[in-house]
Amino acid sequence: DYYKNPDFYPDLHEQDTSRQLVWLDSVLSASTEKQKIVVGHHPVYSVGEHGSEPDMKRVFEPRFEKYGVDLYVAGHDHSLQSLHRQGSALSHLISGGGSEQTHVKIDPSITRFAKASAGFMLVAMRPKALKIYFINSAGKVIYSETISNEVVQGSRHLTDK
């Protein structure tokens, strides 16, 4: 869809997305890290205003699964979200609550946490797990979870208040 709007994305045609995907594949395939994190702007899955991105699912999700990516971190939607698709080892986090807040619509099949709140996310890397904290603009932890290589554990706070 972005390619159809050259006025809004004037330099997109100059980007070599094929080359970028070759680079991503080479980096992920060569990685020997125990925990793999990929960061991008657009989410693959989102329960926020913009929603999930079909092109992102088609292009990136198979790569992330193939190369054992543990965590995909995105922004774009102005909310805080922790999402996990059943049957997948990949977790999706969205931290887009820095400038404004937009609504979220809970999808129980993928939502561990979603809140239309100003705030940010903190990821603490441990040897065998990632500790995720969502922190509101008052500095209060409003949700936390631990993502390990085997089990995802976390408290479920699924309110949009």
Side-chain angles (χ1 to χ4, degrees):
D1 290 340
Y2 297 107
Y3 290 99
K4 296 176 186 172
N5 192 348
D7 293 333
F8 197 69
Y9 304 99
D11 66 339
L12 187 61
H13 69 280
E14 298 173 16
Q15 297 181 21
D16 187 347
T17 54
S18 295
R19 187 173 171 200
Q20 292 172 353
L21 291 174
V22 168
W23 172 83
L24 179 63
D25 286 339
S26 70
V27 170
L28 291 175
S29 67
S31 174
T32 59
E33 299 299 325
K34 292 179 182 176
Q35 298 168 330
K36 294 180 187 175
I37 301 171
V38 176
V39 179
H41 177 79
H42 289 96
V44 175
Y45 291 94
S46 174
V47 296
E49 181 177 18
H50 298 292
S52 299
E53 297 275 350
D55 286 340
M56 294 290 290
K57 286 183 197 178
R58 180 182 54 78
V59 173
F60 292 102
E61 189 171 33
R63 283 178 165 83
F64 296 161
E65 297 287 345
K66 177 181 179 179
Y67 298 117
V69 173
D70 299 289
L71 186 62
Y72 179 65
V73 180
H76 194 59
D77 270 318
H78 295 280
S79 56
L80 304 172
Q81 302 177 39
S82 174
L83 309 170
H84 186 87
R85 190 175 56 79
Q86 191 73 4
S88 173
L90 175 63
S91 292
H92 300 263
L93 302 178
I94 298 173
S95 181
S99 64
E100 62 180 294
Q101 299 81 55
T102 55
H103 73 280
V104 296
K105 184 176 180 183
I106 303 302
D107 176 350
S109 70
I110 63 170
T111 308
R112 287 195 301 240
F113 170 79
K115 190 165 183 74
S117 174
F120 62 96
M121 178 181 57
L122 172 73
V123 178
M125 296 185 75
R126 306 277 191 249
K128 295 182 181 180
L130 301 169
K131 184 71 178 179
I132 313 298
Y133 301 91
F134 285 97
I135 301 167
N136 68 14
S137 59
K140 180 183 175 191
V141 174
I142 56 175
Y143 177 79
S144 67
E145 68 183 332
T146 301
I147 300 173
S148 73
N149 292 339
E150 297 176 6
V151 179
V152 176
Q153 301 171 336
S155 54
R156 288 178 67 98
H157 299 283
L158 303 177
T159 57
D160 181 23
K161 296 182 180 177

